[in-house]
Amino acid sequence: MESGLVASHRLRLPLLRPGVAPPPQQQLLLRQRRVAVAQLRVVPRAPAPTPLRLPAALPLRPCLPPLRAAAGAAASSPEPAASKFLGVETRTLKKIVPLGLMFFCILFNYTILRDTKDVLVVTAKGSSAEIIPFLKTWVNLPMAIGFMLLYTKLADVLSKEALFYTVIFPFIAFFGAFGYLLYPMRDAIHPTALADRLLAALGPSFLGPVAILRVWSFCLFYVMAELWGSVVISVLFWGFANQITTVEEAKEFYPLFGLGANVALIFSGRTVKYFSNMRQNLGPGVDGWAISLRGMMSIVVLLGLVIAGIYWGVNKFVIDKSAAPVAERKKKEKPKLSMGESLKVLVSSRYVRDLATLVVAYGISINLVEVTWKSKLKAQYPSPNEYSSFMGDFSTATGIATFTMMLLGRVILRKFGWGVAATITPAVLLLTGVGFFSLILFGEPLTPLMATLGMTPLLAAVYVGAMQNIFSKSAKYSLFDPCKEMAYIPLDEDMKVKGKAAIDVVCNPLGKSGGALIQQFMILSFGSLANSTPYLGGILLVIVLAWLGAVRSLDSQFSPLAKQELEKEKMLKAKTVETTAQVVGSGNGSLQETLTSENSANGSAIKQSQEPESTAPEKSGQQSQ
């Protein structure tokens, strides 16, 4: 179909010469034009006249700029900029700041509870550190399983907010009631006489199991303090954090939560130290530990209410419930292997066996040293206030060491590699373990030398054991856990999933309960923890040497696989960059050529369409001449 401009050119008539009559055909055209002009004068014009269309040769789309310029223009398109503070979006800070404060309060409480539970069960009359392995195996584990079964039932019935309050308020109420009711009534509610008769009938080897009955309220506090760490931190807090944060926010801010946890550890250690030293300012005959306990439990209750208040505030003012519901994040499905299938996976792969040895050896060695160290700690500090004061210093030192190691862990991994980073933890545990058990077993000849330093072999053993526990806790987060997770990376997908599932099913429980079971067997066999100390030292030596051998074997397998994985990634990145460069280069070149040709065509066509009308008849006249 011809455009309007072309049609108008065809209707344009040549100029008439004066005195010459137009031909009949031209006269007919003139009459038709006069009629058309008369009709245009009579008929009213349309309110919005149609604009003159360009000739068909011209493209109707606008000229596109080059590709890079187009990308820049698209990137600079006006979008509503989100308000920011210190480079972080305000809406993100509204979630992260309350979560950080909540995490600080939870960890602050957990440090107070963790230190207090050891003081209660270890320094209680008729009890000792021998109660800990029995308490972990026969009381803590069944109650943890029962609590999680109850939690899953409540999760099906209650909303998320109601479930949070239903779980956390019983903890707050119990710790407040313990400080103000249960501990002051301990003499009335503890069956001391029955425990004495049982111990006389069973023998001193059963001091630990009988002590669970003797100080049952302290054991209940021990279990509730352990559950605070596993339930309130792992289930309630991280479940809530994962619910309201995006993946990008989690990658950016979750590591800061780990550093904040160590800051909470430092401050809570100072708090425990302060309340434990209150006994020095009290008169004789006053139960200083009861007053210190009451003060610490008051802080726990207050911060527990702060945690609940922050949770309520975030749900009330931060989370937009009127918006469309967020799709549930699907968890990666883990293969649920049975015990037999897990053992089969462990036996079939040397790589997975070495990795399993690391996990089991860590769990057993930590438990073996911890209980023996706490028994010596009670011998050095028999008073609850003195014991608690030392634990406050211990928590502060642990927080500082962990904070420092988390900063240094990345440097060690990057500069020295996986093998060195994985060897540091067992090597230091071996050195401190040899020193700790040597001071216990062969400390008498060293008494004169220790006296010149102002300490006894027992105090030196306490300090060396504290160093070992401090390093083991800090190394777990900074070196051991990263090395363990890195070891899964080079495995193929099938072995990666099945091997991790097998270690979760078999090795984690075995490492956690293996040390306690070994100690129970030794205590019941040799009569007491002190009599079994030489054998525990020998077992620790064997386990740590096996740990070092597994690290060496795993490093010989991991390093080549990691190099291959790194080379594959580099080749893939190089190919991706090369392909992208070729596509972008060819695309820009062809587009530039097309645009150049189109621009030249557009320019010539526009020039022709914008020429004065008088030039057309002149040209036609010249052509006719």
Side-chain angles (χ1 to χ4, degrees):
M1 182 178 180
E2 293 181 341
S3 61
L5 186 60
V6 176
S8 64
H9 277 287
R10 293 199 174 186
L11 288 175
R12 194 172 288 123
L13 301 175
L15 294 176
L16 297 176
R17 296 180 181 180
V20 180
Q25 186 177 4
Q26 190 171 354
Q27 292 178 4
L28 179 62
L29 290 175
L30 287 172
R31 279 194 226 100
Q32 291 178 353
R33 179 177 291 185
R34 292 192 190 99
V35 172
V37 170
Q39 290 177 353
L40 287 175
R41 290 175 181 174
V42 175
V43 179
R45 292 184 178 181
T50 305
L52 183 66
R53 292 186 300 170
L54 295 176
L58 295 178
L60 296 179
R61 60 181 176 84
C63 297
L64 295 176
L67 184 61
R68 292 186 180 87
S76 61
S77 60
E79 292 184 358
S83 58
K84 293 185 177 182
F85 180 75
L86 297 177
V88 183
E89 292 186 3
T90 306
R91 60 184 178 183
T92 300
L93 288 177
K94 289 180 180 179
K95 295 184 291 183
I96 298 302
V97 172
L99 284 177
L101 183 58
M102 183 187 296
F103 195 55
F104 181 89
C105 294
I106 292 173
L107 266 297
F108 194 98
N109 276 359
Y110 180 59
T111 303
I112 294 177
L113 297 173
R114 185 180 60 189
D115 293 345
T116 304
K117 70 180 177 62
D118 289 333
V119 175
L120 288 171
V121 299
V122 173
T123 63
K125 186 179 179 180
S127 180
S128 67
E130 297 176 6
I131 191 177
I132 294 178
F134 295 96
L135 189 57
K136 285 184 175 181
T137 304
W138 308 110
V139 180
N140 189 28
L141 182 60
M143 287 195 66
I145 295 174
F147 186 90
M148 294 312 299
L149 292 176
L150 178 62
Y151 180 86
T152 54
K153 294 293 183 181
L154 292 175
D156 295 334
V157 178
L158 302 175
S159 64
K160 291 181 178 180
E161 292 185 42
L163 181 63
F164 185 93
Y165 299 131
T166 303
V167 171
I168 198 170
F169 280 132
F171 280 99
I172 299 173
F174 172 80
F175 293 129
F178 185 87
Y180 287 89
L181 294 176
L182 292 180
Y183 186 80
M185 298 171 58
R186 62 190 180 281
D187 294 333
I189 62 177
H190 287 170
T192 306
L194 176 60
D196 290 338
R197 291 195 297 269
L198 286 174
L199 185 61
L202 297 174
S205 299
F206 289 85
L207 175 66
V210 173
I212 295 176
L213 176 64
R214 184 190 298 274
V215 290
W216 66 267
S217 65
F218 298 173
C219 296
L220 183 61
F221 184 95
Y222 188 100
V223 172
M224 292 295 286
E226 288 283 337
L227 288 177
W228 178 275
S230 58
V231 173
V232 178
I233 297 176
S234 301
V235 179
L236 295 186
F237 172 78
W238 286 116
F240 180 58
N242 294 334
Q243 174 190 347
I244 67 173
T245 56
T246 63
V247 177
E248 291 75 15
E249 293 169 345
K251 289 179 180 179
E252 185 175 359
F253 293 102
Y254 277 13
L256 298 180
F257 288 165
L259 296 177
N262 297 294
V263 175
L265 200 62
I266 296 171
F267 283 99
S268 58
R270 292 296 85 199
T271 304
V272 172
K273 177 81 172 180
Y274 171 79
F275 281 101
S276 301
N277 291 337
M278 290 178 63
R279 179 68 184 87
Q280 300 174 0
N281 302 323
L282 301 175
V286 180
D287 191 350
W289 174 240
I291 296 176
S292 301
L293 182 64
R294 194 176 305 165
M296 289 188 288
M297 291 304 103
S298 298
I299 292 180
V300 169
V301 171
L302 178 62
L303 292 183
L305 295 176
V306 170
I307 294 166
I310 294 173
Y311 180 82
W312 176 84
V314 171
N315 282 281
K316 180 73 174 178
F317 301 107
V318 177
I319 299 178
D320 187 9
K321 296 182 180 179
S322 62
V326 180
E328 294 290 335
R329 299 172 185 170
K330 294 183 179 180
K331 296 182 178 179
K332 294 181 179 180
E333 295 184 358
K334 284 187 176 181
K336 297 182 179 179
L337 303 181
S338 64
M339 185 66 69
E341 292 172 338
S342 301
L343 291 174
K344 185 177 180 181
V345 172
L346 293 175
V347 172
S348 62
S349 172
R350 175 191 165 198
Y351 191 97
V352 178
R353 285 199 307 271
D354 292 335
L355 187 55
T357 304
L358 265 64
V359 176
V360 175
Y362 176 84
I364 293 178
S365 60
I366 293 304
N367 283 299
L368 287 180
V369 176
E370 185 179 18
V371 175
T372 307
W373 172 65
K374 288 178 180 177
S375 68
K376 300 305 175 184
L377 186 59
K378 180 186 178 180
Q380 180 66 34
Y381 301 107
S383 168
N385 286 88
E386 294 177 349
Y387 193 108
S388 180
S389 178
F390 182 88
M391 291 302 295
D393 292 333
F394 172 79
S395 296
T396 300
T398 303
I400 296 173
T402 306
F403 189 91
T404 305
M405 288 296 297
M406 289 184 73
L407 297 178
L408 294 177
R410 297 177 62 185
V411 179
I412 294 173
L413 278 167
R414 188 177 301 170
K415 188 172 183 179
F416 300 102
W418 188 93
V420 174
T423 306
I424 290 176
T425 305
V428 176
L429 284 175
L430 178 62
L431 295 176
T432 54
V434 169
F436 175 71
F437 283 100
S438 298
L439 288 170
I440 295 175
L441 300 175
F442 313 108
E444 292 298 330
L446 300 176
T447 302
L449 178 61
M450 294 295 173
T452 59
L453 300 176
M455 64 177 64
T456 62
L458 177 61
L459 183 59
V462 168
Y463 286 157
V464 174
M467 290 174 56
Q468 185 178 46
N469 279 272
I470 289 170
F471 179 81
S472 65
K473 293 180 185 300
S474 61
K476 173 176 173 56
Y477 302 106
S478 59
L479 292 174
F480 181 79
D481 285 346
C483 289
K484 181 188 70 174
E485 296 303 324
M486 285 174 62
Y488 290 109
I489 295 175
L491 295 175
D492 60 83
E493 289 300 321
D494 185 61
M495 185 56 68
K496 186 184 299 184
V497 175
K498 290 185 178 179
K500 189 170 180 59
I503 290 176
D504 290 341
V505 171
V506 178
C507 301
N508 278 337
L510 183 59
K512 292 177 181 178
S513 60
L517 293 174
I518 292 173
Q519 288 169 338
Q520 293 176 45
F521 176 77
M522 291 293 177
I523 291 171
L524 295 177
S525 300
F526 298 100
S528 67
L529 187 63
N531 294 336
S532 60
T533 298
Y535 305 98
L536 292 175
I539 294 173
L540 177 66
L541 178 62
V542 172
I543 289 176
V544 175
L545 290 177
W547 185 355
L548 288 170
V551 168
R552 185 177 179 181
S553 174
L554 190 59
D555 185 38
S556 64
Q557 303 171 72
F558 172 80
S559 296
L561 292 176
K563 288 180 181 179
Q564 294 177 6
E565 192 78 14
L566 185 61
E567 290 177 358
K568 288 181 181 179
E569 291 181 0
K570 288 182 178 179
M571 292 176 61
L572 183 61
K573 287 182 180 179
K575 289 182 179 179
T576 304
V577 171
E578 183 180 355
T579 305
T580 305
Q582 291 177 356
V583 171
V584 172
S586 60
N588 281 343
S590 60
L591 185 60
Q592 293 284 2
E593 294 174 0
T594 305
L595 293 175
T596 303
S597 60
E598 287 184 354
N599 286 338
S600 60
N602 290 346
S604 59
I606 291 173
K607 282 184 179 180
Q608 293 177 1
S609 64
Q610 291 180 348
E611 288 181 349
E613 292 186 359
S614 60
T615 59
E618 290 177 0
K619 288 182 180 179
S620 61
Q622 292 174 1
Q623 290 174 359
S624 62
Q625 291 176 357

